[in-house]
Amino acid sequence: MIPRVVPFRAASLLLVLAALYTGSACDRPATPTAAVAQQPDTVERQFRNVATTVAYVGDSSCTSCHAAEAASYAKHSMASSFHKWSADGRVEQAMADARRNQPSGYAYKVIDSAGALWQVETRPGDAAMPVHELRRRMDYVMGSGRLARTYFTEENGRLFQLPLTWYANHGWDFSPGYEVNNARFSRVMPDRCIACHSSYPTPAPHLEGKYPVLRAGIGCERCHGPGALHVTKWRADAGAASRLAVHTMDSSIVNPVRLPLDRRMDVCEQCHVHTSVAVLREKRTAFDFTPAKQLEAQYAYFKNGGDIDLVSHADRLKQSACFRGSMTSDKPLECATCHNPHAAPATRATRNQPCLSCHTGSAFTAKFTTAASKLSHAPAGDCVSCHMPVVKERTVPHGTFSDHWIRVPSRDSARAAKSAVAIEPYYARDRSGPESALYTAMGKVVFASLSGSGDMFDEAATELTPLLANDRAYPQGHFLLGVAHQARGRQKEAAAALERAIELGDTRPDVLRALAQAKVRQGDTDDARALYERALSSQPALAWMRAEYADVLQQEGALSDAGREYRAALREQPSLASASFNLGLALLAQQQTAPASAALLDAVRLEPDYASALEALLVVKTNGKKVAQLSALPSPVSAVRTAPRLPMLFGVQASAPAQVAFVNTPPNGYVLVYSPDGALLLAVPTNAGGTVTWDVRGGEGRVLAPGLYRAVVQARGMSAPLPTQWFAIVAAPQ
């Protein structure tokens, strides 16, 4: 079966979709329609601080009047959920032995240096390049340490997760997901993560991971909403202190106690529900939810195959008969029953008290017939350990949690039965409401991007097309339709959908960039340049997007302009290895050998695999849509040498007339050509194997643009993939 060619940048797509499934903050203009507008409901109108114009003030503004509450809350894990790393609060030890990531070959360890902890990446080399080493300082900690602490390094104000996490019951091991897909030092802090681990940072517009204002921990305003109105009111009232204890309604700030049960649960579920896909609703951002609002007005959640993580504590509680049976009572069993943030954390002696408020008396004890069961269900018994068992969560290494589905474990399965449906709506409004079909189809695009399912992209595009035919209310839907079309290789349809999204007011850089990519695929680089420039004018710090813009300039032959943009991207994000390599290619084409060598050497320092591309530098001179001349260029970097190539090893070479030769390929397979971020660009059949030639044209029939590429062989019956060969196309010297 021919591999499906996905002619767009896969890693970039995840950044593009971050606004939808991780919750990127965006300054999007209001949609010119009232169809999706939500007026504040009766509950919201009770509290004046729900208005978006009210500012956050930070915990220090609360403690002067609420010292006792602040002191008790400081003992809870939430208060230390995110903070700067400091030696004073250190719990970790340095590592004696490195932890090896088998798929990538990199190894990681933690070292002490200059009063800080650093994560160090190494990989064995050969005699020419013995050891690769990169190190990143552990600047920020996410997690209280009760279960684990994971770390972020700061690069020019932007936060990137580090590969190693400290697990309280284990010590050092890989951060979740890194053993399967080693992101090294490039995994950006998602807005959705910081929104739940910190109290409403001020985000940089359209740029995840960079926050001009970043508050430590989950603070008071996470549950009470922005506090400026409340602080101003009580500071202006000289008699405020004497009336703070009066239990009257204060409309200047949300008191969750005064919310109906479903809204109180929403306060907890904003962070304690984990589904496979979370799509922000129109005109919403990751930081829009405030207590008293409906969480379902913020997100459309979707479960994968009917499953939901055990760490979705609020949802698990809702499945309990104890919760359902107490919903209409004066004191229902809810999150705050056991997790009161203004009281000391429950101990083993006190955590059973909520259970005993119902499960006591002769009628209860009469249910048990054996001496053992009577003893275990006596008032001194431990209800929680049996009916909320500690279980392993598959998505968190070395992580165990109290399962908040209160049940008899021997009678009820811990997990719901798997559903045959790929994604299943969490909220009723997305199962049968007027927007249900639309948001479900949008969720399928996001799920397809995460799973790499071409069939799901097809299904989503088929469903979205008629739903959006006459639509003017959902620009995000048109954007996602465009993404689905791009994934299917249908650039004309993608461009039409993306242009519609922009027409309806969605002018985020991600949308403009997606349209620019569609234009590039159609050969319209003039329009693509204008779109990139428009996107970067609204957020100049989008380094990866600026590097992409530079790729387009290099493709057009504007090498000096391309070099300027590559350098600007690298000033903002020096760790962009592919941008450094492509800068080197642009300089080679201008015959600037010394600075080109420096850029290429820096790229290889960041990504040692790129060294193999230095022996496969292909100078290409084009004539319209054909290659007029192709030749090999000796490596300008004498300081980097690769190991001698074995005679039968797969490789990439220049071949006459004006073609590339893939040598030593197996029969009945494909040579797959990828961009540096993993997007599959084309598949070349190997047929009988051996040497296979390629005319350097991509999936759109155009000569592949100057830049860095990766080739790998795929064939039936291969016990292991053949080594990857990087190669680079260099524009003919000017």
Side-chain angles (χ1 to χ4, degrees):
M1 181 178 180
I2 298 176
R4 175 177 290 235
V5 176
V6 184
F8 65 101
R9 299 170 75 96
S12 299
L13 174 63
L14 295 184
L15 289 171
V16 168
L17 294 181
L20 307 173
Y21 68 86
T22 63
S24 174
C26 57
D27 237 354
R28 191 188 318 168
T31 306
T33 174
V36 295
Q38 298 287 333
Q39 297 299 321
D41 61 13
T42 303
V43 175
E44 290 181 42
R45 285 197 293 268
Q46 295 180 66
F47 303 100
R48 293 180 289 133
N49 72 321
V50 174
T52 56
T53 55
V54 181
Y56 292 92
V57 294
D59 291 356
S60 60
S61 297
C62 308
T63 54
S64 59
C65 293
H66 302 283
E69 290 84 352
S72 62
Y73 180 70
K75 299 176 183 178
H76 286 261
S77 297
M78 290 189 296
S80 55
S81 58
F82 182 78
H83 52 88
K84 280 191 172 183
W85 187 90
S86 68
D88 292 341
R90 174 176 175 173
V91 300
E92 317 89 348
Q93 303 298 319
M95 292 176 68
D97 299 309
R99 182 83 166 85
R100 184 177 173 83
N101 181 263
Q102 293 297 334
S104 66
Y106 291 102
Y108 298 89
K109 62 182 178 180
V110 176
I111 66 169
D112 279 288
S113 180
L117 287 180
W118 302 71
Q119 295 199 13
V120 181
E121 174 188 82
T122 58
R123 191 168 73 174
D126 53 45
M129 198 174 181
V131 176
H132 154 81
E133 180 177 300
L134 286 178
R135 58 178 61 193
R136 296 290 185 266
R137 189 175 60 199
M138 293 161 46
D139 293 317
Y140 285 89
V141 180
M142 181 172 281
S144 67
R146 186 190 64 81
L147 174 68
R149 285 157 59 111
T150 196
Y151 305 89
F152 291 81
T153 191
E154 183 177 347
E155 183 182 43
N156 199 17
R158 206 166 185 209
L159 303 182
F160 295 85
Q161 189 176 11
L162 295 173
L164 294 174
T165 286
W166 171 268
Y167 296 95
N169 297 325
H170 177 82
W172 291 108
D173 206 343
F174 285 110
S175 302
Y178 272 79
E179 254 187 312
V180 177
N181 180 21
N182 182 12
R184 301 177 64 208
F185 300 135
S186 65
R187 186 188 283 179
V188 176
M189 164 83 80
D191 282 345
R192 183 78 192 278
C193 287
I194 197 65
C196 278
H197 282 264
S198 175
S199 280
Y200 297 100
T202 300
H206 316 299
L207 183 68
E208 286 200 302
K210 196 167 187 174
Y211 308 97
V213 177
L214 192 58
R215 298 182 176 92
I218 302 167
C220 310
E221 291 165 299
R222 190 78 220 179
C223 296
H224 293 279
L229 194 67
H230 181 72
V231 169
T232 300
K233 170 186 174 181
W234 289 99
R235 283 180 177 172
D237 190 333
S242 63
R243 292 193 295 276
L244 281 175
V246 178
H247 296 288
T248 57
M249 179 70 177
D250 181 356
S251 65
S252 69
I253 198 163
V254 172
N255 184 345
V257 171
R258 300 189 182 280
L259 296 174
L261 176 62
D262 62 331
R263 303 294 175 92
R264 294 201 299 272
M265 293 298 291
D266 278 349
V267 173
C268 302
E269 284 193 284
Q270 64 177 307
C271 294
H272 289 285
V273 167
H274 294 256
T275 57
S276 300
V277 173
V279 179
L280 279 164
R281 300 196 190 274
E282 287 292 342
K283 301 194 294 184
R284 304 290 185 180
T285 78
F287 304 102
D288 283 348
F289 177 82
T290 54
K293 291 183 178 180
Q294 285 184 301
L295 187 60
E296 67 178 29
Q298 168 98 352
Y299 282 108
Y301 288 135
F302 296 92
K303 298 181 285 186
N304 173 216
D307 203 3
I308 191 165
D309 287 347
L310 290 169
V311 293
S312 296
H313 303 310
D315 178 78
R316 300 290 285 182
L317 177 63
K318 285 182 175 181
Q319 299 177 36
S320 308
C322 294
F323 173 84
R324 297 195 301 269
S326 68
M327 287 176 63
T328 58
S329 69
D330 292 337
K331 292 185 177 181
L333 180 68
E334 55 185 301
C335 304
T337 303
C338 301
H339 300 284
N340 183 350
H342 297 311
T347 64
R348 185 181 179 89
T350 61
R351 65 182 184 176
N352 294 324
Q353 294 306 311
C355 307
L356 298 176
S357 64
C358 292
H359 300 286
T360 55
S362 57
F364 174 70
T365 55
K367 296 179 180 180
F368 307 101
T369 57
T370 68
S373 63
K374 286 180 180 293
L375 179 62
S376 63
H377 289 86
D382 188 358
C383 314
V384 172
S385 63
C386 287
H387 296 284
M388 297 176 65
V390 173
V391 292
K392 174 74 177 70
E393 169 49 44
R394 67 191 187 283
T395 61
V396 181
H398 314 293
T400 57
F401 300 86
S402 293
D403 188 354
H404 283 57
W405 177 17
I406 306 168
R407 66 192 190 283
V408 179
S410 60
R411 186 178 64 201
D412 298 315
S413 170
R415 293 190 181 276
K418 292 289 286 183
S419 168
V421 179
I423 64 169
E424 180 182 334
Y426 180 74
Y427 290 119
R429 65 180 284 180
D430 296 313
R431 292 193 291 270
S432 58
E435 301 173 321
S436 58
L438 178 61
Y439 273 104
T440 298
M442 291 162 66
K444 288 180 179 179
V445 178
V446 176
F447 180 75
S449 75
L450 296 170
S451 63
S453 170
D455 291 340
M456 183 62 74
F457 276 124
D458 291 339
E459 185 177 323
T462 299
E463 293 176 8
L464 278 172
T465 299
L467 290 169
L468 296 171
N470 299 306
D471 170 72
R472 294 190 57 81
Y474 298 92
Q476 180 175 274
H478 293 277
F479 165 59
L480 283 173
L481 176 58
V483 168
H485 282 316
Q486 279 189 315
R488 305 163 79 209
R490 300 187 177 183
Q491 305 303 328
K492 183 178 180 180
E493 292 91 336
L498 294 164
E499 285 168 346
R500 183 64 168 165
I502 294 168
E503 177 190 337
L504 294 177
D506 194 346
T507 57
R508 291 171 297 146
D510 289 336
V511 184
L512 297 168
R513 174 263 171 191
L515 180 56
Q517 282 284 289
K519 296 291 187 180
V520 168
R521 301 297 181 192
Q522 296 176 84
D524 186 355
T525 54
D526 286 342
D527 277 0
R529 285 183 64 167
L531 287 161
Y532 273 118
E533 289 163 4
R534 184 179 173 189
L536 291 167
S537 68
S538 62
Q539 181 46 271
L542 283 165
W544 67 273
M545 194 178 293
R546 187 174 296 280
E548 233 180 43
Y549 172 46
D551 293 344
V552 174
L553 294 172
Q554 183 164 196
Q555 178 181 343
E556 285 190 318
L559 299 178
S560 179
D561 291 343
R564 181 193 66 237
E565 296 302 319
Y566 283 131
R567 290 187 180 94
L570 290 165
R571 283 195 298 272
E572 174 64 31
Q573 191 174 333
S575 59
L576 281 175
S578 61
S580 188
F581 200 100
N582 285 338
L583 170 61
L585 299 181
L587 293 169
L588 282 178
Q590 298 173 80
Q591 303 185 57
Q592 299 180 33
T593 306
S597 298
L600 294 169
L601 188 60
D602 198 46
V604 173
R605 179 185 64 82
L606 294 166
E607 174 49 81
D609 282 344
Y610 290 176
S612 65
L614 295 175
E615 65 181 30
L617 296 174
L618 308 175
V619 179
V620 176
K621 185 175 182 180
T622 59
N623 181 11
K625 292 186 178 182
K626 294 184 179 180
V627 174
Q629 184 178 341
L630 189 148
S631 59
L633 179 69
S635 171
V637 185
S638 58
V640 175
R641 303 185 306 277
T642 56
R645 179 165 293 282
L646 299 176
M648 297 304 293
L649 194 63
F650 168 66
V652 181
Q653 301 174 357
S655 175
Q659 290 188 320
V660 167
F662 298 118
V663 299
N664 299 324
T665 68
N668 303 316
Y670 293 91
V671 176
L672 308 178
V673 177
Y674 296 88
S675 63
D677 57 18
L680 178 62
L681 301 176
L682 73 150
V684 180
T686 62
N687 300 320
T691 297
V692 177
T693 58
W694 168 49
D695 63 3
V696 203
R697 288 192 293 180
E700 299 294 321
R702 296 180 181 84
V703 176
L704 225 59
L708 181 67
Y709 300 95
R710 180 169 61 98
V712 65
V713 171
Q714 182 184 83
R716 292 180 180 177
M718 289 175 57
S719 58
L722 291 177
T724 290
Q725 172 66 56
W726 289 86
F727 67 97
I729 295 177
V730 185
Q734 295 181 354

